[in-house]
Amino acid sequence: MNDEESLDCAINEPVAIYSYNDAWPLLFEQERARLLRFFPSDFLAIEHIGSTAVPGLSAKPVIDIMAGVESMLCADVLMELLCQAKYTTSMEFNASLVGRRWLMRWADGRRTHHLHLMVYGSKEWQERLVFRNMLRASAKTALLYEQIKQAWAVEFSLDREAYTAAKGAFIQATRQYNANQPPSLTCHLGHHMKSVIQEEISGCGIAASAALAGVGYAQAKAIANAVGIHAEDPKLWSETTHVRKLLQAMGLSASPEEAPFESWERLPDKALLAIRWRIEQGKPFWHWVVFVRENGEATVLDSKKALATNVRRDFWRMKPKWYISVH
């Protein structure tokens, strides 16, 4: 194919996730050296960002590079020069961006590099470094991100912008959860388990799953939506398949069947517990809570916002119907 055909193929390339490639850091270093050779005094810093910058993380095989400049005016001046240095760009797409400019390199009909020009030290700059460093520091967060990216890549394989927007919701929720956890919404239990408040009336399953996975509600909701689970969907209120599917998407496993509640002492160390079980209009309904036993101490984490405390030990008040063991 000629260069024009190659570029057209790269622009319309489907979204696909590949296993981590040990060559990705080297490809970044090579392009960083090339940029500094062409522009020795224009960039204040050049960083490897995105999933290819996280060891072991599956990703689209495109090297994301963030280059820091003094101002967006400097970025605009560089655009034409970068296009002369084997990059291309979209003025229409750049017009939709805030605080950055985007360019792309390609070869053989595939994208190879994305270059993001930003003001060095700006909010946009810091946000991307913070998320990259979170993924590098937390294998759990990286695994969750990988799993939902794979789900979104299937759903949005031909819609790159929708895929990027879906990722954005998870990225923002992850940054907020790690940067500022309001004490009124989260209660620590030892070092492993936290209660998570449901942010939707019918979101107890999402909140309970979030507590078990150790993530915030917004993160869990983003993952749930990615695999087709929505709290407001009434079809999901009277069955348990969706919560198992969500736990699996978070890297956890659950028993395939519900087990009848016999006693608190006979519960496993971690379980989803159905309380307030009742029949309404011929259908069963219940409220999900998390049972956890740590160092021999049993506790129930209840996501209901109106409670004085979401860490409960008033076992005599709760009347569980059945439970699902979680590993």
Side-chain angles (χ1 to χ4, degrees):
M1 68 180 75
N2 61 35
D3 201 46
E4 184 177 344
E5 292 170 336
S6 176
L7 175 58
D8 185 65
C9 287
I11 290 172
N12 297 291
E13 183 182 4
V15 175
I17 304 298
Y18 290 74
S19 298
Y20 181 77
N21 190 329
D22 291 331
W24 287 341
L26 177 60
L27 292 173
F28 161 73
E29 292 295 342
Q30 290 173 343
E31 184 62 12
R32 179 180 183 275
R34 195 182 77 92
L35 286 169
L36 291 175
R37 187 167 65 250
F38 282 115
F39 306 95
S41 59
D42 292 287
F43 299 126
L44 303 180
I46 298 178
E47 293 279 352
H48 189 186
I49 60 170
S51 295
T52 60
V54 182
L57 184 61
S58 298
K60 300 189 306 297
V62 181
I63 308 301
D64 277 292
I65 299 172
M66 182 169 65
V69 294
E70 289 185 354
S71 67
M72 292 313 297
L73 178 60
C74 293
D76 290 335
V77 169
L78 286 168
M79 294 295 283
E80 183 176 350
L81 297 172
L82 284 162
C83 288
Q84 295 171 10
K86 298 186 178 180
Y87 277 93
T88 189
T89 191
S90 165
M91 300 305 292
E92 180 182 0
F93 179 60
N94 279 318
S96 70
L97 303 179
V98 176
R100 69 182 174 104
R101 299 290 183 266
W102 172 90
L103 301 101
M104 177 187 81
R105 283 196 71 188
W106 77 101
D108 302 322
R110 305 192 69 173
R111 299 170 184 235
T112 60
H113 303 76
H114 286 168
L115 178 61
H116 310 268
L117 303 183
M118 301 180 205
V119 175
Y120 177 72
S122 65
K123 176 187 175 185
E124 292 77 15
W125 177 275
Q126 296 296 342
E127 285 178 345
R128 283 155 181 80
L129 287 184
V130 165
F131 186 66
R132 181 200 66 185
N133 293 341
M134 284 180 185
L135 294 177
R136 287 178 171 177
S138 172
K140 178 181 70 178
T141 302
L143 177 61
L144 287 175
Y145 189 48
E146 179 176 81
Q147 290 171 329
I148 61 174
K149 283 197 308 174
Q150 290 169 340
W152 285 325
V154 172
E155 183 173 355
F156 303 122
S157 63
L158 300 178
D159 191 341
R160 189 173 289 266
E161 291 186 14
Y163 170 82
T164 301
K167 283 197 309 178
F170 179 84
I171 291 168
Q172 182 179 7
T174 300
R175 284 199 307 259
Q176 291 176 345
Y177 178 72
N178 283 272
N180 182 25
Q181 299 180 52
S184 61
L185 299 185
T186 307
C187 181
H188 290 262
L189 179 66
H191 297 290
H192 304 290
M193 192 75 70
K194 306 172 186 177
S195 61
V196 176
I197 304 303
Q198 64 191 76
E199 297 177 7
E200 299 160 285
I201 294 175
S202 53
C204 58
I206 292 176
S209 299
L212 286 162
V215 301
Y217 188 89
Q219 289 173 291
K221 181 179 177 180
I223 296 168
N225 293 171
V227 296
I229 298 169
H230 300 271
E232 66 274 16
D233 185 354
K235 296 193 298 293
L236 304 179
W237 296 349
S238 297
E239 56 90 24
T240 62
T241 303
H242 68 287
V243 77
R244 290 188 176 88
K245 183 178 181 181
L246 178 54
L247 289 170
Q248 183 179 21
M250 292 177 167
L252 300 172
S253 59
S255 56
E257 301 292 338
E258 301 86 46
F261 175 84
E262 296 178 0
S263 69
W264 294 101
E265 292 74 21
R266 299 194 64 166
L267 286 174
D269 288 342
K270 280 195 290 189
L272 277 172
L273 201 60
I275 66 171
R276 303 211 306 266
W277 193 93
R278 72 271 186 199
I279 296 291
E280 294 181 6
Q281 297 180 348
K283 290 186 177 182
F285 290 86
W286 60 88
H287 177 65
W288 287 114
V289 296
V290 174
F291 175 82
V292 58
R293 185 185 293 109
E294 294 183 324
N295 300 321
E297 184 177 9
T299 307
V300 168
L301 306 180
D302 193 330
S303 64
K304 187 176 180 180
K305 193 172 185 178
L307 294 173
T309 176
N310 300 101
V311 179
R312 299 182 61 179
R313 296 185 179 89
D314 54 337
F315 302 111
W316 62 92
R317 295 181 185 275
M318 294 176 274
K319 298 179 180 179
K321 179 73 172 180
W322 40 256
Y323 68 90
I324 297 174
S325 180
V326 179
H327 313 284

